[in-house]
Amino acid sequence: MKKLSFLIIGALSMSQLMAQDISDALRYSFDDIQGTARFRSMSGAFGALGGDLSAISINPAGSSVFTRSYATFSLSVQTINNDVNYFGNNRSSSESKFDLNQIGGAFVFNNTNGNSPWKKFVLGVSYDKVANFNNDWTASGTNTNNSIASYFTSIAQGLRLDEISKFPEESYSEAYSYIGYAYGYYNQQAFLGKESHIIAPVNDIPSNTSYVSNIAPGSYRQNYYYSARGYNGKLAFNMSSQFKDKLYLGLNLNTHFINYERFTYLNESNNNSGSLVHEVGFENGLYTIGTGFSFQLGAIGKLTESLRLGATYTSPTWYTIAEETTQYLETYRTEGGQEIAQIINPNIINVFPDYRLQTPGKFTGSLAYVFGDKGLLSFDYSIRDYSNTKFKPKSDPYFSSQNSLIRNTLSTASSYRFGGEYRIQRVSLRAGYRFEESPYKNNDLYGDLNGYSFGIGYNFGNFKLDAAFDQSKQDVNYQLYNVGLTDNALIDSKVSNFVVTLGFNI
């Protein structure tokens, strides 16, 4: 894979912002809290329980369940196994990452005024990894439907030839940068296709707006490489209080962090009769950083000594996101009996204006039954309307079209989490199950998630040691490009986590 060297930075105006789509919106909308080992071993069913630092991320009232100040940190190993099918050809990959995925503390202040119904006040802070973006896979197969040329021809139609062409005195870098600044991201794509000879104008005049492919119909051997790195993290500042022995109330003020990098590379070759271009290598890089804010309101009520009910409202997350893109294109063609390599390496970083993303809010209802000091059972139900996801400013024409697509494509999704714990003196045995519905109206695009978990813990007195293993499975139809070459790679993804947590009184 050709690596890009970055020499020039090109800024694009807001009206030319074309890098964001529904996949970006969803990527930052999921909140799969990785959490402590106890939290993970019960599949995150903690909304009515509390007493765990990661449980605060589900229901902020949970910190008041602590009887004394407490802190934890968690280490994890996450492994992602992908089985990828592309036009009947299967490829498998595996990626593992070791990480500090959780750290936090809760500070309990007991009310010494015996006449007050407010028994305690708790301040807490907890960091949780919401998502790990590390993922690598390859899709390989023979496509008889679409060539990468369809990507460039689809974009180029309707664009003037003189607005996607290099002047004789310009370098590729200068032309790519100016076209992006003056006309936008789509014109840059058409420029790449035209200058690499993948597409050609129907008429060689400046006002031409029609283009044809220089890659003939037939079959195309395609290898698509996907590599991503990064994370989404959440830092929660927690306040909660206990009212008498029946009610716990809490508030979280959350700061969110996004760091995401993605590289894709498509290699396509053909020996179709009539093809001028017989091989293409196309690389795209995306770099994203962002910050966001959200809040949570939660309550836990003791209906009886054993039965507990929890409720949480999680606000939308309001992100401000900055993105940069890079591109590289190389083609090989046979012309006049000679093999010609055409390399377009603009050495340009496209810097897009910051944009805003609002992810949907969520409601969670929880129920738990505690069997004294013997164990417990817990259930969480959450609902979130992903069609409420919004790019902003909504007045931007491109964002308006994406928001319309989101409303028509995404829907309300529910998640169900079950967990249980059984204690044998100082030893705790735990297990859980979770099911999360697809955010898409069409489940074939993005399947439901199924996961299970189990774990063990030991209470040493002043500190506790917990370990957990969980695994989830989900099918995803990954679309290679937004236009033209829109064929899907079917990815059967299995994510496994092993987590160890040390907790101690402070």
Side-chain angles (χ1 to χ4, degrees):
M1 187 186 302
K2 176 68 179 177
K3 295 301 178 185
L4 294 160
S5 57
F6 308 132
L7 301 178
I8 305 173
I9 295 177
L12 280 73
S13 70
M14 179 61 73
S15 63
Q16 297 145 355
L17 189 59
M18 298 293 184
Q20 298 75 29
D21 58 30
I22 192 170
S23 63
D24 297 294
L26 277 178
R27 183 184 308 115
Y28 309 128
S29 295
F30 296 133
D31 56 354
D32 183 23
I33 302 297
Q34 295 185 15
T36 66
R38 185 174 181 233
F39 181 88
R40 296 292 290 189
S41 65
M42 292 173 57
S43 291
F46 266 85
L49 290 173
D52 182 275
L53 266 300
S54 292
I56 296 173
S57 66
I58 302 297
N59 189 335
S63 61
S64 286
V65 177
F66 285 112
T67 58
R68 58 186 300 182
S69 299
Y70 194 72
T72 62
F73 69 90
S74 305
L75 302 174
S76 68
V77 177
Q78 183 179 87
T79 301
I80 301 177
N81 293 291
N82 293 310
D83 293 321
V84 184
N85 184 286
Y86 188 65
F87 288 99
N89 188 59
N90 294 304
R91 295 286 296 268
S92 297
S93 65
S94 181
E95 172 80 15
S96 295
K97 179 177 175 59
F98 177 81
D99 205 0
L100 172 66
N101 67 288
Q102 180 277 328
I103 187 169
F107 303 91
V108 179
F109 302 92
N110 292 305
N111 192 346
T112 57
N113 182 357
N115 296 323
S116 174
W118 297 97
K119 299 297 184 182
K120 71 180 74 162
F121 180 71
V122 180
L123 292 176
V125 59
S126 181
Y127 170 80
D128 280 285
K129 185 72 69 67
V130 175
N132 174 20
F133 296 136
N134 287 30
N135 201 4
D136 293 276
W137 51 267
T138 302
S140 300
T142 300
N143 190 336
T144 58
N145 301 320
N146 289 311
S147 162
I148 185 60
S150 62
Y151 169 79
F152 293 105
T153 55
S154 296
I155 288 176
Q157 301 303 333
L159 301 179
R160 287 176 59 98
L161 179 60
D162 58 355
E163 295 178 355
I164 65 169
S165 299
K166 179 177 77 70
F167 294 127
E169 67 276 10
E170 284 184 314
S171 67
Y172 285 126
S173 293
E174 290 169 337
Y176 180 87
S177 178
Y178 176 77
I179 288 171
Y181 175 78
Y183 304 115
Y185 183 75
Y186 279 3
N187 285 66
Q188 281 183 330
Q189 307 313 290
F191 162 81
L192 292 174
K194 185 261 181 184
E195 295 296 334
S196 64
H197 298 273
I198 293 175
I199 62 174
V202 172
N203 297 297
D204 195 13
I205 57 175
S207 61
N208 173 80
T209 57
S210 298
Y211 303 87
V212 294
S213 170
N214 280 328
I215 299 178
S219 60
Y220 316 98
R221 295 179 296 276
Q222 294 173 343
N223 293 283
Y224 183 88
Y225 305 93
Y226 176 100
S227 179
R229 295 291 181 270
Y231 66 93
N232 189 347
K234 182 173 81 170
L235 182 64
F237 298 94
N238 170 260
M239 296 172 284
S240 69
S241 187
Q242 178 184 347
F243 183 78
K244 297 184 177 180
D245 293 322
K246 297 294 184 181
L247 183 64
Y248 305 86
L249 301 172
L251 167 68
N252 281 348
L253 301 177
N254 304 313
T255 300
H256 301 257
F257 311 93
I258 294 173
N259 190 312
Y260 177 69
E261 297 183 7
R262 182 186 70 219
F263 282 91
T264 63
Y265 180 80
L266 175 76
N267 177 265
E268 177 184 292
S269 60
N270 76 89
N271 55 7
N272 301 332
S273 176
S275 280
L276 173 66
V277 174
H278 60 80
E279 186 172 356
V280 178
F282 186 33
E283 180 176 291
N284 286 271
L286 171 67
Y287 308 83
T288 304
I289 58 172
T291 58
F293 171 79
S294 69
F295 67 89
Q296 293 168 285
L297 297 170
I300 297 175
K302 281 188 177 182
L303 302 183
T304 69
E305 188 60 30
S306 298
L307 186 62
R308 299 178 185 180
L309 183 68
T312 307
Y313 169 71
T314 300
S315 76
T317 300
W318 296 277
Y319 283 110
T320 299
I321 297 175
E323 290 189 339
E324 301 173 355
T325 63
T326 57
Q327 294 188 293
Y328 170 91
L329 181 64
E330 59 185 0
T331 61
Y332 298 87
R333 67 185 189 275
T334 303
E335 193 170 355
Q338 291 186 334
E339 181 80 2
I340 301 175
Q342 187 74 53
I343 296 176
I344 303 178
N345 186 10
N347 294 313
I348 295 290
I349 301 175
N350 283 324
V351 179
F352 294 89
D354 292 357
Y355 68 95
R356 288 171 286 137
L357 175 67
Q358 179 181 315
T359 67
K362 182 172 67 173
F363 293 92
T364 301
S366 310
L367 191 65
Y369 194 88
V370 180
F371 300 91
D373 59 357
K374 293 297 184 182
L376 56 89
L377 293 173
S378 181
F379 168 69
D380 281 9
Y381 170 77
S382 297
I383 187 167
R384 168 176 281 180
D385 187 354
Y386 287 92
S387 67
N388 287 331
T389 306
K390 296 180 180 68
F391 287 108
K392 295 181 178 181
K394 293 185 288 185
S395 58
D396 181 85
Y398 179 73
F399 284 160
S400 178
S401 67
Q402 288 299 307
N403 290 338
S404 178
L405 178 63
I406 287 171
R407 288 191 298 271
N408 294 329
T409 305
L410 302 183
S411 65
T412 299
S414 299
S415 68
Y416 308 82
R417 297 176 181 240
F418 302 86
E421 181 179 63
Y422 181 69
R423 303 188 187 101
I424 307 171
Q425 295 180 349
R426 291 179 177 267
V427 177
S428 296
L429 305 176
R430 306 171 183 123
Y433 170 78
R434 63 180 172 133
F435 174 80
E436 299 180 8
E437 294 178 339
S438 169
Y440 281 89
K441 293 179 180 179
N442 181 2
N443 283 20
D444 292 337
L445 297 175
Y446 204 98
D448 299 329
L449 181 146
N450 282 276
Y452 68 90
S453 59
F454 56 85
I456 188 171
Y458 191 87
N459 188 343
F460 290 89
N462 283 327
F463 70 93
K464 299 176 182 178
L465 185 63
D466 299 300
F469 174 83
D470 70 272
Q471 189 174 95
S472 62
K473 295 182 179 180
Q474 191 169 39
D475 294 333
V476 177
N477 265 312
Y478 178 88
Q479 185 173 294
L480 269 59
Y481 296 92
N482 291 335
V483 296
L485 183 52
T486 56
D487 299 277
N488 293 324
L490 177 60
I491 305 172
D492 183 2
S493 183
K494 181 171 65 176
V495 180
S496 304
N497 292 279
F498 179 73
V499 185
V500 176
T501 299
L502 177 64
F504 49 92
N505 297 320
I506 53 177

